[in-house]
Amino acid sequence: MILPVNNFNSQAFTGDNDSDKKYTKDTLLKNNLITRTRIGFDKLSNAFTLYPAKGLKGDKNSNFYEFLTMGAVPYLIGSLTLMSVFNSANKHFNVFDKERANKVGRRMALGVILYGVMKSLSKSFINAPVKWLTGVDGNTPYAKVNYKLPENVNDTDITSIEYHKVFESVDFPYWAMLYGDEAKGKKRNEKYDKIAKKNGLGTDLNDSDQEVKPLVKQIIARSSMAKSITSYLWAAAGVGFAMQQGWDRALKRVCEKGCFHRDNINETFKIFKDSIKKASKEFWEGPSTSKFGKYSGKLLLLVPIAASCFGVMHSVFGLDKPSKIDASNVIKPEDKYVVN
């Protein structure tokens, strides 16, 4: 008897928190925090373990998705290296210079962390309001089932799971994922009907999917451009915020006593709260050493806010919506028409 071969990557979860269920076909997932966290953990763990091993041994089932997923590895290693560059040599300095270098190094390390956090978080500043206003979620995930090539004569139906987004490609979205399963009593165009209604195209349309698709492409293209631009602006703001002197006391406590020492956790929270307030004030007011300095923090914060607002408005307004004119508006039944 031939048994199906299971591997680490074939263990998948659903958006309904059913982590023991395996996918048998491409499946739409719920876009919530739990799903995004589990997808991120699954991709990151595979990027450090399974995918490099497959690539190093020349596995014929290695593909471009795995190659792109492994991009997280040099990103994280590079971040850790950058953080250590400013801190590893401090032990060779004298006491006075060591203290000054530690302050700068700790802020640099925090800057690296906030750069990544803000770059990732900022995409929600565009996606969330666009989804609320248009009903189009550019981050809708789905699980793709890949049938792998057999590696020996006993292999059969070997599958691997990849996590993609429905609108990963602007030109070729995975439209089929948005159709309802009529076998389960759902309307085929239910999601398209909601988008059409949300964007003022009307209700009870005969072919809402055909009416909506060109509009959705416009929204995805515009919002994707906005997310690409604003993510770096917010990342710069995160680095600027991390470089404020107000963080010194909190960062010193983290490095000397651990992140949250169990005996002084209340005091640690209080120190972090005070540090955030102080750093925020310094960031907004800016250094008083130059005329431009007092405006630097304001610019670093207000520019990404303005860019995000503009990106949302550009993604929602001024779209080329299909005309509401139909045959009854053009053809007059009382007139006679001749077809040659």
Side-chain angles (χ1 to χ4, degrees):
M1 186 174 93
I2 299 176
L3 297 175
V5 178
N6 295 326
N7 55 41
F8 176 78
N9 197 35
S10 67
Q11 299 296 327
F13 60 88
T14 69
D16 295 320
N17 304 333
D18 185 7
S19 58
D20 296 327
K21 181 179 178 180
K22 297 178 185 179
Y23 297 114
T24 57
K25 63 179 182 178
D26 294 354
T27 306
L28 190 69
L29 304 176
K30 292 182 178 180
N31 185 12
N32 53 37
L33 181 61
I34 295 177
T35 301
R36 291 194 298 270
T37 301
R38 288 183 172 178
I39 289 176
F41 176 77
D42 184 78
K43 294 176 71 173
L44 188 62
S45 60
N46 285 340
F48 275 94
T49 56
L50 183 64
Y51 297 160
K54 290 175 63 178
L56 289 172
K57 74 177 184 178
D59 194 317
K60 58 186 176 182
N61 286 302
S62 291
N63 55 30
F64 192 58
Y65 168 82
E66 297 177 0
F67 169 76
L68 292 178
T69 302
M70 286 191 292
V73 176
Y75 183 86
L76 291 175
I77 294 176
S79 297
L80 293 173
T81 302
L82 188 60
M83 293 166 67
S84 65
V85 163
F86 296 100
N87 294 280
S88 57
N90 294 354
K91 60 184 179 181
H92 301 294
F93 300 157
N94 59 49
V95 177
F96 180 72
D97 291 338
K98 180 179 179 180
E99 181 62 25
R100 295 179 62 185
N102 281 335
K103 290 181 179 180
V104 177
R106 291 164 185 167
R107 288 184 224 152
M108 287 287 186
L110 180 62
V112 172
I113 295 173
L114 290 187
Y115 176 92
V117 170
M118 292 306 300
K119 191 171 182 293
S120 178
L121 184 63
S122 63
K123 295 178 181 179
S124 298
F125 301 159
I126 301 293
N127 193 70
V130 168
K131 179 183 177 182
W132 180 65
L133 293 170
T134 66
V136 178
D137 184 0
N139 290 333
T140 303
Y142 74 94
K144 178 178 177 60
V145 177
N146 280 339
Y147 287 90
K148 301 163 64 176
L149 296 172
E151 298 180 5
N152 58 67
V153 294
N154 294 322
D155 289 347
T156 178
D157 292 336
I158 310 175
T159 61
S160 63
I161 304 299
E162 297 179 3
Y163 297 105
H164 295 273
K165 295 179 181 178
V166 172
F167 301 107
E168 205 165 59
S169 170
V170 177
D171 294 321
F172 304 101
Y174 199 170
W175 297 116
M177 285 288 96
L178 299 182
Y179 287 108
D181 189 348
E182 294 178 295
K184 295 182 179 180
K186 296 182 179 180
K187 292 178 60 177
R188 175 174 171 78
N189 284 354
E190 182 178 355
K191 288 184 172 64
Y192 292 103
D193 290 339
K194 291 180 179 179
I195 295 175
K197 182 179 180 181
K198 199 92 171 179
N199 290 275
L201 301 182
T203 57
D204 300 324
L205 301 177
N206 292 329
D207 298 297
S208 60
D209 55 340
Q210 300 305 317
E211 297 283 348
V212 160
K213 286 178 180 178
L215 185 66
V216 171
K217 282 188 176 183
Q218 291 183 63
I219 295 172
I220 294 299
R222 294 185 180 191
S223 60
S224 296
M225 181 197 67
K227 285 187 282 189
S228 297
I229 295 175
T230 58
S231 62
Y232 289 100
L233 295 175
W234 281 108
V239 173
F241 181 54
M243 294 306 297
Q244 306 308 310
Q245 295 180 7
W247 286 107
D248 289 345
R249 187 184 175 197
L251 295 177
K252 182 177 181 180
R253 184 176 184 83
V254 169
C255 295
E256 293 181 355
K257 294 189 177 182
C259 192
F260 294 104
H261 196 278
R262 62 182 181 180
D263 296 332
N264 303 302
I265 191 168
N266 291 331
E267 185 180 354
T268 300
F269 273 117
K270 183 179 179 181
I271 291 174
F272 264 88
K273 183 179 178 181
D274 293 339
S275 295
I276 292 174
K277 288 182 179 179
K278 186 176 179 181
S280 300
K281 183 179 180 180
E282 292 175 354
F283 180 61
W284 179 255
E285 294 180 350
S288 57
T289 54
S290 64
K291 292 183 179 180
F292 177 75
K294 62 181 180 180
Y295 299 110
S296 58
K298 296 180 178 66
L299 285 174
L300 277 176
L301 181 61
L302 295 178
V303 168
I305 291 176
S308 297
C309 292
F310 176 79
V312 171
M313 290 188 292
H314 181 64
S315 302
V316 173
F317 301 107
L319 300 170
D320 297 328
K321 297 183 179 181
S323 175
K324 295 182 180 180
I325 297 176
D326 55 23
S328 63
N329 300 117
V330 178
I331 300 176
K332 297 180 180 180
E334 65 272 10
D335 291 345
K336 296 180 179 180
Y337 299 88
V338 177
V339 178
N340 293 328

